Amino acid sequence: MAQPNRLPGGQIDRSRTLSFTFDGRSYQGHPGDTLASALLANGVRLMGRSFKYHRPRGVLSSGSEEPNALVELRSGARREPNTRATTAELFDGLMANSQNRWPSLKFDAMAINDRFSTFLTAGFYYKTFMWPAAFWEKIYEPIIRKAAGLGSLSLQEDPDSYDKGFLHCDLLVVGAGPAGLAAALTAARAGAQVILAEEDFVFGGRLNAESYEIGEGSALDWVSQTMAELQALPNVRCMARTTIIGAFDHGIHGAVERVSDHLATPDAGKPRQILWRIYAKRTLLCAGAIERPIAFENNDRPGIMLAGSMRAYANRWAATPAQKVAVFTNNDDGHRTALDLIAKGVQVAAVIDTRPDAPRLADCELIPGAKVIDTSGRLGLNFIQLRLADGSERTIECGALGVSGGWNPNVHMTCHQRGRPVWNDQIAAFVPGGDGPAGLSVAGAANGDFSTAAALAMGSKQAIQALQELSIDAPAIALPRAEDTPVNLQAFWHVGEGKGRAWLDQQNDVTVKDVKLAHQENFRSVEHLKRYTTLGMATDQGKTSNMGGLAIMAELAGKSIPQVGTTIFRPPYTPVAMGTLGGRSRGGDFHPTRKTPSHIWAAEQGAVFVEVGNWLRAQWFPQQGETHWRQSVDREVRATRGSVGICDVTTLGKIDVQGADAADFLNRVYANAFAKLPVGKTRYGLMLREDGIAMDDGTTARLAEDHFVMTTTTANAVTVYRHMEFVHQCLCPDMDVQLISTTEAWAQYAVAGPNSRALLQKIVDPAFDISNEAFPFMGCAEITVCGGLRARLFRISFSGELAFEIAVPTRYGDALIRALMQAGEEFDVVPYGTEALGVMRIEKGHAAGNELNGTTTALNLGMGRMVSKKKDCIGNTLSERAGLNPVDALALVGFKPLSSTDKVTAGGHLITAGDAVDAAHDQGYVTSACYSPILNSSIGIGFLKNGSARLGETLLLTSPLTGLDVQVQVVSAHFVDPEGDRLRD
Amino acid sequence: MINLTAVTALGGPSARVDHFNGVTVTECPDWALASVTARRGQSGQTADKAQAMLGFALPDIGLSTGDGSLSAFWIGPEQWMIEAPHSSHEDLAAQLKTALGDSASITEQTDGWVRFDLTGPGCTSVLERLSNANTATMKSASITRTGIHHLGCLLSCRSSGDHYSIWGPRSAAQTLHHAIDTAAKSAL
């Protein structure tokens, strides 16, 4: 029979029927159902197997606090484990499978664990599986690992997209129950910018689960009217399916909006979820309360659930877990479940109330002063066993038991910044302490005010108060009449008798026995209790179990509950998918891609690109017939040194430095002198850190008395700019100097080789003489090219050849590379990439990032004398400290292998011939290495103790970890044209 | 006569335009940009000379001023970005230097940036997916620095609710364009 446990009424749309499957079986439900409610309506109580002991479990709750009914939802690449059936909105074609069981939910072989529960209690891995020791790594641990975990991943790429978003408001209302709605209405009518966020897919909070009246009509009518008004207002943003996951600094809240999870697949271009960052001037937490159970022997059978959830299923979802139910409670509120289920035609066997003076509120048997001491029905509850007030026992037949131990206000967010809740004896629960995040206040059940009337009143009042703090005048609004039932409860945490296990944390399988064990072994503080037993450490974060655990620990320790206290609630309030946290930053969009002005042209040439930070740079340009990168790189080097080559060097940082004190400023940041650099000249500059270590290097050109353009390495462009801003703003604020980046604004190409001048003369406008006499080495000038286009020309060389760098505004960069290549045809011009660039600078012994590695000094680089003692600069003083100036300081030298078949390998360390190969005898290390097609040999440069005095010496180059052992000879780092004649040609 | 052909930041011969359900995203390459930073003690001089050249005053903090063709944007303490039509002001930086002399430091910024304009009623719905600036309440003729998909950008509100300009680093034009397009498809 279809949906045997359906009831009349409810907020489901019976005009449409949805089909879904659970563990391969087909069922039907309706829009408005969750997976859990639809399963219950179909007579399914068994929904999962517990983590450790694989006990059969059913749904405990009807909300996001659910510990048991965790399923793998959807199939294929969208399959998601650990999805709570209680919050999964039913859609047509939904596929769900239970987890953590083999081969099936009904028969799970791993339930054998339950038989060995004595060996698997809290902290078992500190006591068992220890002998023999050798078994741990290869046998025990892999087995335990395999058994652990709940759901499984699809291991396929997530096909959905996730957005980030940013919202601002005056008042963020968290939760759209009676408190939140009253608050939102009050604030909205006052004209404030309001965001109303609701975790559920309908607004109304607890009002959807109860059968209350508000004003003259039903509570649901009031919710509809209120939502209609709110949704029509332009200053209100109503966000359903949106969980506020955390309260962060400065009023910033994280929120996850489930945009498409209730659809079979997201619409094209739409995200599955959005991670919102909400900047709220004030926040009102109206998150309600979560019911807590009572612990008793075998209290975890399918069919045993929270009493409030049982009536939520009946009232909102028109479903009952069984045709005959019972209620076990310590408070008046639990009786509501009996009342509501009777009204829906469900048989209520009895209300069992721990209080001897329990009032009779429902039209069914009341058993006061009694407790449930055991249950039976492995795959689904069928009997409960009671201890009556007079000491006798009684058995009651029922298919479901609603349990109520009272309600816990949802204080979590008030503790996200290390606030602590305080104990309220009246309701035997923790309520927000006064030390929550600044700007956050609480109203309604979340604040311990459980009646609807109190929620409405306090929600409105707190909204007025919050807005007043923002100087927004919010008049009081008329609030309808609502139930104002007082809390009538006697604290009762667990039934003491029974030899079996009473469950606290049903997701992590933590029992009352585990808490006793923790106490016995002296793990008595609430923090130790949590971590030793794992109580509260599962995906439900102990929402239905923390209270029970610490109440029992309090009893054992002879303390009051507030003395034991709570652990710290941390964001996220409910689990968040990693994809949601990643947003659009994944795959090719993980970080921005920066392309050089010649990128399109280089791609046309078939260049191979390499990532350099966010940049893509051409690494080499393979030609037809070349099958290995060495062929391309060797060719590019030979061609450039032999005639002319062009390389895009736009990526190097360009910092514009101007002002009356620009030159002095450069003197401060550079180790060497810049103040007297003539206009029209460029100079190599070395920048030190405050501690005397080399930070970056580059060249700075003086275009005018008060105008310099500094270049930095590609990698440090941002760091150096930031550093210079810091120096200006914080160290030298009185200097007249202005800084701005121009890295992006100019396309810059190196033109290098004996024919570089000849090539450039074809594009530089005739008015400008770039002969050796008119434009010598290290010159710079503002010129025009190609018929009047403004350009900058620098005669600098990283390759060691006669070379220039030419810059034009970036929009002309593409045209310029094409023009240069065309002009260079007669010289067999080649484009060269970063590999050839690297080979040539190693051949010249030029330092680059590998050598400026954060531990080396000017002295190590052979530039000790460049640190001018005639003027102060950053790093000057500390560069003189003894530790950086030992007698045998590292010095930059070159290396060649003794055998032509050997390679010099960067990262290898140097050992003096005959010395032991260990750290104590370490003489230095190789930083850069390559094959030099000019020398037909592998070469390298690096740092060697007292290196300059050891030219010609043979050393061992070794890397014990990678099996490298090569004999190398120490040589000058300047392998090619050591005198530098070509530069000055 | 310059015999080199310019390309836009996205690499095309002409500006890219994309239409969405309530927003149009337009690449705007035809504008020259230059930075003006007053030198020490020269605020007054800079203000006067700039006003004389532009015909309107330099704006106050977080604001922009203009005459419909030329615009000035506040981008930092004593620092502004001047925007002018590229066709008539390709040498904007040189023009400003002539006018302001030693009172300020000028740099050409034209090709340091790519500008995308968002126009239409859906602008703020798109912008709230991209930037944490309070675009819903941003006033016309205001500007702010903001991060968009890990890029340091400038965001100007030309007309509250329906016209915004985003400047981002030119080299990341494709990334920025993709981020805006994706947000538009997602939000609208």
Side-chain angles (χ1 to χ4, degrees):
Chain A
M1 181 192 141
Q3 304 184 53
N5 283 342
R6 260 304 168 207
L7 299 174
Q11 287 182 55
I12 53 171
D13 178 7
R14 284 166 221 268
S15 73
R16 286 175 49 218
T17 302
L18 307 172
S19 297
F20 69 99
T21 68
F22 177 60
D23 280 351
R25 270 186 74 172
S26 296
Y27 299 96
Q28 292 191 326
H30 303 285
D33 262 327
T34 59
L35 175 60
S37 70
L39 284 172
L40 288 177
N42 279 277
V44 176
R45 285 177 302 168
L46 175 62
M47 296 189 195
R49 288 277 178 162
S50 71
F51 173 51
K52 222 186 334 183
Y53 303 116
H54 292 255
R55 287 172 66 88
R57 291 280 169 79
V59 69
L60 180 73
S61 74
S62 57
S64 62
E65 64 271 19
E66 178 57 31
N68 287 339
L70 305 179
V71 303
E72 284 177 1
L73 193 70
R74 297 184 293 273
S75 62
R78 286 202 168 85
R79 190 180 86 216
E80 191 171 36
N82 300 342
T83 305
R84 287 148 293 174
T86 49
T87 55
E89 286 179 65
L90 198 69
F91 56 85
D92 198 41
L94 181 148
M95 263 183 71
N97 286 287
S98 57
Q99 336 184 112
N100 199 39
R101 80 293 181 271
W102 181 85
S104 74
L105 197 50
K106 261 207 169 126
F107 176 75
D108 181 4
M110 288 302 285
I112 193 124
N113 283 359
D114 209 18
R115 306 243 171 209
F116 294 103
S117 61
T118 330
F119 297 105
L120 296 173
T121 51
F124 71 88
Y125 29 83
Y126 301 116
K127 303 164 192 164
T128 52
F129 302 102
M130 304 202 113
W131 180 89
F135 273 36
W136 173 255
E137 196 178 322
K138 294 276 162 62
I139 299 176
Y140 296 145
E141 201 205 345
I143 291 177
I144 293 172
R145 248 181 216 289
K146 214 158 182 264
L150 285 170
S152 62
L153 297 170
S154 72
L155 297 182
Q156 295 176 54
E157 172 136 0
D158 185 345
D160 290 332
S161 358
Y162 302 79
D163 264 348
K164 298 274 176 82
F166 309 87
L167 297 172
H168 299 255
C169 64
D170 293 320
L171 183 67
L172 169 63
V173 178
V174 182
L181 287 174
L185 204 54
T186 307
R189 288 182 186 167
Q193 294 294 323
V194 179
I195 294 176
L196 176 64
E198 169 53 55
E199 180 186 45
D200 204 334
F201 54 97
V202 298
F203 295 92
R206 191 70 207 158
L207 298 177
N208 290 299
E210 304 287 3
S211 54
Y212 296 154
E213 304 227 312
I214 290 186
E216 303 306 315
S218 75
L220 294 181
D221 282 341
W222 179 81
V223 171
S224 296
Q225 283 158 32
T226 306
M227 287 313 301
E229 181 177 343
L230 289 171
Q231 273 156 342
L233 289 169
N235 55 318
V236 183
R237 189 172 185 131
C238 301
M239 303 178 74
R241 302 185 175 96
T242 302
T243 304
I244 304 298
I245 57 167
F248 301 93
D249 293 314
H250 313 302
I252 299 175
H253 297 75
V256 173
E257 180 183 0
R258 290 173 291 285
V259 177
S260 309
D261 280 316
H262 60 291
L263 307 171
T265 57
D267 293 333
K270 302 301 174 196
R272 178 192 162 204
Q273 297 182 358
I274 303 174
L275 178 67
W276 293 100
R277 205 179 300 170
I278 301 179
Y279 297 77
K281 293 190 183 139
R282 287 293 182 275
T283 306
L284 186 56
L285 181 66
C286 304
I290 295 176
E291 198 169 27
R292 64 213 180 191
I294 298 168
F296 52 90
E297 184 172 345
N298 288 319
N299 62 331
D300 66 328
R301 303 213 187 273
I304 301 178
M305 60 177 62
L306 295 166
S309 298
M310 187 183 273
R311 67 178 182 270
Y313 283 118
N315 291 327
R316 174 174 169 182
W317 284 292
T320 183
Q323 292 298 328
K324 188 171 181 195
V325 309
V327 172
F328 179 33
T329 179
N330 68 349
N331 65 85
D332 283 2
D333 188 73
H335 292 241
R336 270 197 226 277
T337 298
L339 279 160
D340 286 349
L341 262 72
I342 289 169
K344 290 270 183 171
V346 177
Q347 196 183 351
V348 178
V351 173
I352 301 118
D353 197 315
T354 57
R355 302 168 295 171
D357 57 347
R360 194 201 164 84
L361 299 169
D363 189 16
C364 65
E365 183 178 0
L366 170 69
I367 308 177
K371 339 175 238 200
V372 177
I373 58 171
D374 199 359
T375 69
S376 64
R378 228 180 126 260
L379 297 181
L381 183 72
N382 47 34
F383 287 99
I384 57 175
Q385 203 163 334
L386 313 181
R387 173 74 61 209
L388 303 181
D390 65 6
S392 63
E393 289 186 20
R394 183 174 155 191
T395 302
I396 291 183
E397 185 184 5
C398 57
L401 178 68
V403 183
S404 180
W407 291 77
N408 292 326
N410 250 355
V411 304
H412 306 68
M413 218 165 86
T414 65
C415 304
H416 279 173
Q417 292 176 26
R418 299 190 82 86
R420 296 283 188 171
V422 296
W423 184 250
N424 181 324
D425 250 335
Q426 240 66 10
I427 57 174
F430 283 101
V431 295
D435 57 351
L440 173 68
S441 47
V442 193
N447 207 24
D449 294 322
F450 290 155
S451 77
T452 310
L456 291 170
M458 292 313 292
S460 184
K461 183 159 178 259
Q462 294 285 50
I464 292 170
Q465 173 67 28
L467 293 183
Q468 205 165 70
E469 291 167 14
L470 300 176
S471 303
I472 299 175
D473 182 41
I477 64 170
L479 293 168
R481 239 182 19 231
E483 64 85 26
D484 201 7
T485 320
V487 174
N488 201 4
L489 166 150
Q490 250 169 55
F492 189 91
W493 308 103
H494 73 118
V495 174
E497 66 173 283
K499 284 194 289 252
R501 288 161 294 166
W503 301 86
L504 291 167
D505 184 330
Q506 294 202 26
Q507 192 168 144
N508 264 358
D509 270 349
V510 179
T511 62
V512 172
K513 270 195 178 149
D514 290 322
V515 178
K516 289 185 174 158
L517 189 63
H519 179 264
Q520 184 184 313
E521 303 201 351
N522 210 24
F523 290 100
R524 296 181 185 180
S525 82
V526 68
E527 301 285 356
H528 284 152
L529 164 65
K530 170 181 175 178
R531 286 155 182 85
Y532 191 64
T533 64
T534 75
L535 170 82
M537 293 177 72
T539 70
D540 64 332
Q541 300 162 320
K543 291 187 175 72
T544 53
S545 59
N546 284 335
M547 192 66 242
L550 64 95
I552 288 162
M553 178 57 83
E555 231 171 84
L556 293 165
K559 294 185 168 163
S560 71
I561 289 174
Q563 278 178 318
V564 175
T566 58
T567 53
I568 295 179
F569 302 96
R570 296 187 176 87
Y573 175 69
T574 44
V576 179
M578 298 306 284
T580 312
L581 295 173
R584 298 281 174 183
S585 299
R586 54 184 284 193
D589 296 334
F590 178 64
H591 61 75
T593 300
R594 297 171 79 178
K595 294 187 175 172
T596 63
S598 65
H599 185 96
I600 292 175
W601 174 84
E604 287 168 12
Q605 311 313 308
V608 171
F609 291 94
V610 64
E611 287 188 16
V612 182
N614 288 345
W615 290 100
L616 283 176
R617 298 190 74 179
Q619 205 175 8
W620 59 81
F621 293 79
Q623 300 276 27
Q624 275 252 341
E626 288 175 349
T627 54
H628 188 271
W629 64 269
R630 274 280 313 281
Q631 294 174 297
S632 313
V633 174
D634 288 359
R635 173 184 51 75
E636 288 172 16
V637 171
R638 286 197 201 99
T640 302
R641 292 209 187 280
S643 179
V644 61
I646 302 178
C647 182
D648 190 324
V649 295
T650 304
T651 63
L652 280 76
K654 305 175 202 64
I655 303 173
D656 194 281
V657 184
Q658 294 188 38
D661 295 330
D664 278 344
F665 183 80
L666 290 173
N667 261 7
R668 295 286 175 101
V669 298
Y670 273 139
N672 51 324
F674 270 82
K676 302 222 183 90
L677 179 68
V679 173
K681 287 302 237 186
T682 312
R683 181 170 291 167
Y684 174 81
L686 180 67
M687 218 177 263
L688 303 181
R689 292 190 325 217
E690 298 219 7
D691 62 357
I693 299 292
M695 186 172 83
D696 199 54
D697 68 352
T699 59
T700 292
R702 192 171 201 162
L703 297 180
E705 202 60 40
D706 59 354
H707 188 186
F708 296 80
V709 177
M710 173 194 287
T711 71
T712 74
T713 61
T714 299
N716 285 332
V718 173
T719 324
V720 170
Y721 181 44
R722 201 176 277 158
H723 166 73
M724 287 169 68
E725 277 289 352
F726 171 77
V727 172
H728 178 218
Q729 291 183 33
C730 305
L731 304 183
C732 318
D734 293 337
M735 284 190 134
D736 182 17
V737 60
Q738 295 76 43
L739 310 164
I740 197 166
S741 166
T742 52
T743 309
E744 305 269 332
W746 295 86
Q748 191 148 330
Y749 300 106
V751 182
N755 286 317
S756 54
R757 181 185 292 114
L759 190 164
L760 281 170
Q761 276 164 338
K762 293 172 72 174
I763 63 131
V764 170
D765 288 333
F768 302 97
D769 183 356
I770 61 168
S771 66
N772 197 23
E773 296 70 35
F775 197 66
F777 181 52
M778 299 307 276
C780 66
E782 291 179 284
I783 62 170
T784 68
V785 301
C786 299
L789 175 63
R790 62 202 176 284
R792 291 167 174 180
L793 189 66
F794 309 89
R795 191 171 153 188
I796 50 180
S797 177
F798 197 43
S799 58
E801 296 302 316
L802 166 66
F804 302 77
E805 288 188 16
I806 174 122
V808 294
T810 313
R811 67 179 58 199
Y812 298 102
D814 177 87
L816 182 61
I817 185 70
R818 294 174 197 272
L820 286 168
M821 288 301 294
Q822 191 174 42
E825 258 171 36
E826 66 172 283
F827 307 109
D828 298 317
V829 66
V830 297
Y832 66 93
T834 55
E835 282 304 314
L837 178 95
V839 168
M840 288 191 281
R841 71 98 187 164
I842 294 171
E843 286 176 337
K844 289 298 295 182
H846 287 157
N850 296 2
E851 288 71 42
L852 273 62
N853 62 20
T855 68
T856 55
T857 62
L859 178 67
N860 301 141
L861 292 163
M863 299 180 197
R865 285 206 292 250
M866 232 194 238
V867 184
S868 170
K869 296 302 155 188
K870 295 201 192 127
K871 51 111 182 151
D872 195 9
C873 73
I874 290 168
N876 202 331
T877 303
L878 286 184
S879 72
E880 292 172 358
R881 53 197 165 105
L884 294 182
N885 295 280
V887 164
D888 59 347
L890 294 171
L892 187 67
V893 289
F895 303 95
K896 278 180 81 166
L898 282 194
S899 162
S900 61
T901 54
D902 280 339
K903 273 170 51 174
V904 179
T905 306
H909 279 251
L910 301 153
I911 305 286
T912 303
D915 273 356
V917 179
D918 58 30
H921 293 90
D922 186 6
Q923 296 294 295
Y925 53 96
V926 173
T927 51
S928 304
C930 67
Y931 180 81
S932 163
I934 304 302
L935 300 155
N936 290 312
S937 167
S938 169
I939 59 171
I941 59 176
F943 296 101
L944 176 65
K945 282 186 181 172
N946 202 18
S948 337
R950 297 168 78 169
L951 299 184
E953 186 176 331
T954 301
L955 300 169
L956 174 67
L957 177 64
T958 183
S959 168
L961 207 56
T962 55
L964 168 73
D965 278 304
V966 162
Q967 298 287 309
V968 295
Q969 187 183 45
V970 181
V971 297
S972 159
H974 312 294
F975 297 88
V976 171
D977 183 33
E979 302 306 309
D981 292 331
R982 297 190 207 183
L983 292 169
R984 293 167 171 78
D985 223 349
Chain B
M1 180 58 198
I2 298 175
N3 58 36
L4 293 179
T5 312
V7 296
T8 72
L10 287 176
S14 58
R16 172 94 186 236
V17 183
D18 293 284
H19 298 282
F20 302 94
N21 182 19
V23 156
T24 300
V25 179
T26 309
E27 186 186 7
C28 301
D30 302 325
W31 297 91
L33 293 171
S35 70
V36 172
T37 312
R39 292 194 176 177
R40 195 166 158 74
Q42 302 285 319
S43 305
Q45 292 272 18
T46 300
D48 292 342
K49 291 180 178 180
Q51 171 137 28
M53 182 210 166
L54 297 169
F56 51 85
L58 289 174
D60 209 346
I61 296 170
L63 299 175
S64 63
T65 47
D67 64 5
S69 171
L70 301 180
S71 303
F73 302 88
W74 187 93
I75 58 170
E78 301 296 311
Q79 190 172 62
W80 296 266
M81 189 81 86
I82 312 300
E83 182 188 68
H86 193 265
S87 50
S88 53
H89 292 72
E90 182 162 356
D91 61 343
L92 178 63
Q95 291 182 30
L96 283 162
K97 189 64 188 169
T98 303
L100 272 68
D102 288 342
S103 69
S105 294
I106 316 285
T107 69
E108 175 168 343
Q109 289 288 318
T110 302
D111 290 339
W113 303 88
V114 58
R115 175 179 139 192
F116 292 107
D117 273 15
L118 275 68
T119 48
C123 282
T124 52
S125 300
V126 176
L127 288 169
E128 73 187 15
R129 302 278 171 112
L130 294 170
S131 161
N132 71 349
N134 194 347
T135 48
T137 59
M138 235 177 138
K139 301 225 174 343
S140 299
S142 67
I143 183 163
T144 183
R145 287 191 186 264
T146 186
I148 295 178
H149 195 67
H150 315 290
L151 296 165
C153 295
L154 293 161
L155 170 64
S156 157
C157 175
R158 303 255 186 195
S159 167
S160 197
D162 56 45
H163 187 186
Y164 299 80
S165 293
I166 297 174
W167 287 273
R170 187 195 175 92
S171 66
Q174 210 168 345
T175 293
L176 181 57
H177 183 248
H178 178 66
I180 298 170
D181 266 18
T182 305
K185 285 195 194 100
S186 187
L188 299 171

